[in-house]
Amino acid sequence: MKAGDRPEIDSVFEAAHEQEVPPPVRQYFEVKPFGHFSDFRSFDEAKSAIHTDFTQALRMEIPRVFFDPAPVVIDDALASGTKYDALMKITDNVDGYAIGILLNDPDASFLEYIGTHHGKDWQQIMGNLEITTASLASEINLL
């Protein structure tokens, strides 16, 4: 978070939603990609497209990702192509930073995938992601 507090940011983001304009994400938050896995593009390509691939639905929920306690899962089932279709916060903020995982499957929504794979245990998946994220968070120097 670069500026503001929750009431101010919620008010500004709600006003943007009512006016049907993008919320002023860059005014209040800085998004710093620091890890990546993809079969179809490089980390440099993903970093350079982060602002265009971050969907409107995800942008509107950034305050929740920063302020709400983990876990937070936001889905944009309408995202397609390289647009990120899910944003997850698995662990609470570390040293003033919220660490989120952006997911993108160019062929399907992440939550749609979970919903169609009934043999998968969502709680176990979230637990494994939380353990992984917590161990990563302790190793990452975000400054």
Side-chain angles (χ1 to χ4, degrees), residues 18-137:
E18 290 173 4
Q19 296 170 10
E20 298 181 2
V21 298
V25 172
R26 291 184 188 177
Q27 180 178 340
Y28 293 99
F29 298 99
E30 182 176 0
V31 177
K32 294 181 180 181
F34 63 86
H36 170 262
F37 172 79
S38 174
D39 289 334
F40 63 91
R41 64 180 172 177
S42 71
F43 186 41
D44 287 339
E45 291 169 331
K47 283 192 328 187
S48 69
I50 188 87
H51 295 292
T52 57
D53 285 352
F54 215 87
T55 68
Q56 182 73 357
L58 299 185
R59 288 174 198 275
M60 289 302 299
E61 300 297 336
I62 287 177
R64 279 189 52 221
V65 172
F66 188 82
F67 292 109
D68 290 358
V72 175
V73 178
I74 300 158
D75 179 42
D76 183 359
L78 300 178
S80 61
T82 59
K83 303 291 186 201
Y84 292 106
D85 57 342
L87 173 58
M88 299 189 310
K89 175 182 174 181
I90 307 301
T91 187
D92 288 334
N93 295 7
V94 176
D95 293 331
Y97 291 85
I99 299 173
I101 300 171
L102 284 166
L103 299 171
N104 168 242
D105 181 343
D107 300 317
S109 161
F110 172 72
L111 293 184
E112 177 182 299
Y113 171 85
I114 294 296
T116 58
H117 289 72
H118 301 291
K120 305 298 182 193
D121 180 347
W122 174 244
Q123 293 302 324
Q124 181 180 357
I125 291 168
M126 288 299 289
N128 290 342
L129 285 171
E130 183 173 3
I131 291 166
T132 302
T133 304
S135 65
L136 281 174

